[in-house]
């Protein structure tokens, strides 16, 4: 029996008593409520655009359609994996595999569980505005002065940062990889485009920046960044046993490129708490959301 079933039976019994006009004894009901397991869930995410959008959407569906109370925690990717492995968080919807987060998956092997993909065809690499003459990562070797000697990165623990350090060595580039954050990277990109100056950032797709500006990935003939990846949903060990309905929802939660791009655009335009934007998105994609929610 589902661990929530006893609470449901008590709730139904209470409704029947009210319907027949009987008075309830408040003490047993209060005790039953105190013993009832809470439908709570802890989602953890990194401040990356697709992760912010997908995590807030999952939170809204769990709250509005499945009756859960959901707590969100934002952290760098290293503590995200640690929190899952130690059971402090329940799920993470933004693991890039098989390359970007390969090191973390190997480090935490057997301590996190993979529920499969939620988006297919993701890509990482070095991104520049279309007006930049460089076509390949190797072309950056002659652009040190124009780039102020740097590549604009995101948070230091991100997998793309480690891969970019490998790219600097592979292509023998005399450039510094500057850590910042996803929003700070986007702000640097926006500022450079406004002034039509050369800039190189660590980039990934899906991301709303590709819809907003004319950008291109630099060719990677040495294959340092690998080919296309998929975004996976990870959970703490035991979640599928403890909360099977949540696991079924997370396994069904999938977005294609157009759906995720639309969602990310809506969240980006909200410029604040994404809650209202994702709920408006849910209304426009009701049939898709219906397909994610377990029926029993």
């Amino acid at each position: 029996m589902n661990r929530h079933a006893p609470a449901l039976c008590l709730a139904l019994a209470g409704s029947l008593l009210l319907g027949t006009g009987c008075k309830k004894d408040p003490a047993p009901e209060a005790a039953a409520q105190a013993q009832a397991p809470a439908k709570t869930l802890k989602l953890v995410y990194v401040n990356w655009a697709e992760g912010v959008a997908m995590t807030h959407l999952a939170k809204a569906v769990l709250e509005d359609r499945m009756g859960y109370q959901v707590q969100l925690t934002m952290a760098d990717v290293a503590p995200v994996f640690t929190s899952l492995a130690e059971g402090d968080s329940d799920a993470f919807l933004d693991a890039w595999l098989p390359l970007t987060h390969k090191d973390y998956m190997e480090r935490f092997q057997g301590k996190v569980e993979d529920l499969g993909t939620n988006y297919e065809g993701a890509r990482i690499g070095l991104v520049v505005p279309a007006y930049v003459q460089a076509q390949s990562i190797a072309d950056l070797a002659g652009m040190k002065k124009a780039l102020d000697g740097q590549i604009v990165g995101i948070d230091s623990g991100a997998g793309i940062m480690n891969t970019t350090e490998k790219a600097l060595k592979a292509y023998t580039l005399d450039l510094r990889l500057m850590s910042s954050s996803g929003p700070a990277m986007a702000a640097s990109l926006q500022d450079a485009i406004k002034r039509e100056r050369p800039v190189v950032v660590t980039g990934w797709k899906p991301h709303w920046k590709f819809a907003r500006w004319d950008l291109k990935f630099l060719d990677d003939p040495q294959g340092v960044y690998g080919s296309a990846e998929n975004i996976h949903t990870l959970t703490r060990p035991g979640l599928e046993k403890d909360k099977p309905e949540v696991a079924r929802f997370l396994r069904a939660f999938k977005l294609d490129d157009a759906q995720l791009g639309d969602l990310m655009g809506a969240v980006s335009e909200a410029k604040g708490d994404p809650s209202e934007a994702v709920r408006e998105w849910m209304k426009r994609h009701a049939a898709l959301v219906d397909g994610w929610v377990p029926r029993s």
Side-chain angles (χ1 to χ4, degrees):
M1 178 180 287
N2 185 296
R3 64 181 296 185
H4 302 303
L8 177 62
C9 293
L10 287 169
L12 288 173
S15 297
L16 289 171
L17 287 171
L18 283 173
T20 55
C22 298
K23 290 187 66 175
K24 297 181 294 178
D25 182 348
E29 182 183 41
Q33 290 177 347
Q35 295 173 0
K39 294 182 68 171
T40 62
L41 201 74
K42 297 178 181 178
L43 300 180
V44 64
Y45 67 104
V46 183
N47 191 20
W48 300 330
E50 79 286 348
V52 171
M54 289 194 294
T55 305
H56 280 82
L57 175 59
K59 175 179 184 289
V61 176
L62 285 160
E63 289 180 341
D64 297 357
R65 303 292 297 275
M66 297 176 65
Y68 272 80
Q69 298 174 16
V70 180
Q71 175 184 321
L72 299 185
T73 300
M74 185 176 71
D76 288 341
V77 67
V80 162
F81 272 82
T82 300
S83 70
L84 287 177
E86 295 181 351
D88 294 330
S89 298
D90 292 305
F92 172 52
L93 286 81
D94 203 8
W96 288 52
L97 299 173
L99 181 62
T100 304
H101 292 141
K102 177 183 177 183
D103 291 347
Y104 289 103
M105 292 300 287
E106 291 176 348
R107 187 187 311 172
F108 293 97
Q109 185 176 11
K111 297 180 180 178
V112 298
E113 294 185 355
D114 185 353
L115 296 191
T117 61
N118 57 49
Y119 175 88
E120 297 182 351
R123 181 182 178 184
I124 65 171
L126 294 183
V127 172
V128 299
Y131 58 75
V132 173
Q133 293 295 314
Q135 298 297 324
S136 165
I137 296 175
D139 295 338
L140 300 179
M143 297 181 60
K144 180 178 180 180
K145 184 176 181 180
L147 296 171
D148 294 329
Q150 66 179 21
I151 293 173
V152 180
I154 54 174
D155 44 294
S156 58
I160 194 174
M161 296 292 280
N162 296 331
T163 305
T164 300
E165 292 288 359
K166 295 175 182 176
L168 291 175
K169 294 179 181 178
Y171 289 93
T172 322
L173 297 177
D174 185 19
L175 297 171
R176 290 171 290 122
L177 177 59
M178 306 300 293
S179 61
S180 60
S181 66
M185 175 273 293
S188 295
L189 188 58
Q190 181 179 32
D191 180 66
I193 291 173
K194 185 177 180 180
R195 295 185 292 137
E196 296 189 2
R197 289 182 54 83
V199 65
V200 180
V201 303
T202 55
W204 63 93
K205 192 175 184 178
H207 194 287
W208 55 261
K209 63 180 179 286
F210 286 95
R212 183 166 298 179
W213 302 303
D214 189 6
L215 306 173
K216 61 183 179 184
F217 278 98
L218 292 176
D219 293 341
D220 177 21
Q222 296 196 39
V224 177
Y225 289 95
S227 55
E229 295 189 275
N230 297 322
I231 302 177
H232 290 234
T233 298
L234 306 181
T235 72
R236 63 168 171 79
L239 179 118
E240 190 147 29
K241 181 178 180 181
D242 298 342
K243 294 179 168 64
E245 71 282 4
V246 173
R248 289 200 297 275
F249 160 66
L250 292 174
R251 285 188 182 279
F253 183 98
K254 297 180 186 296
L255 294 163
D256 63 24
D257 196 51
Q259 292 160 349
L260 184 51
D262 186 47
L263 174 67
M264 293 169 68
V267 170
S268 175
E269 292 173 3
K271 299 184 184 300
D273 184 356
S275 299
E276 184 175 345
V278 299
R279 286 186 164 89
E280 286 298 320
W281 190 93
M282 286 170 59
K283 292 178 183 176
R284 292 190 285 110
H285 298 78
L288 176 67
V289 175
D290 286 344
W292 297 339
V293 179
R295 296 185 180 279
S296 61

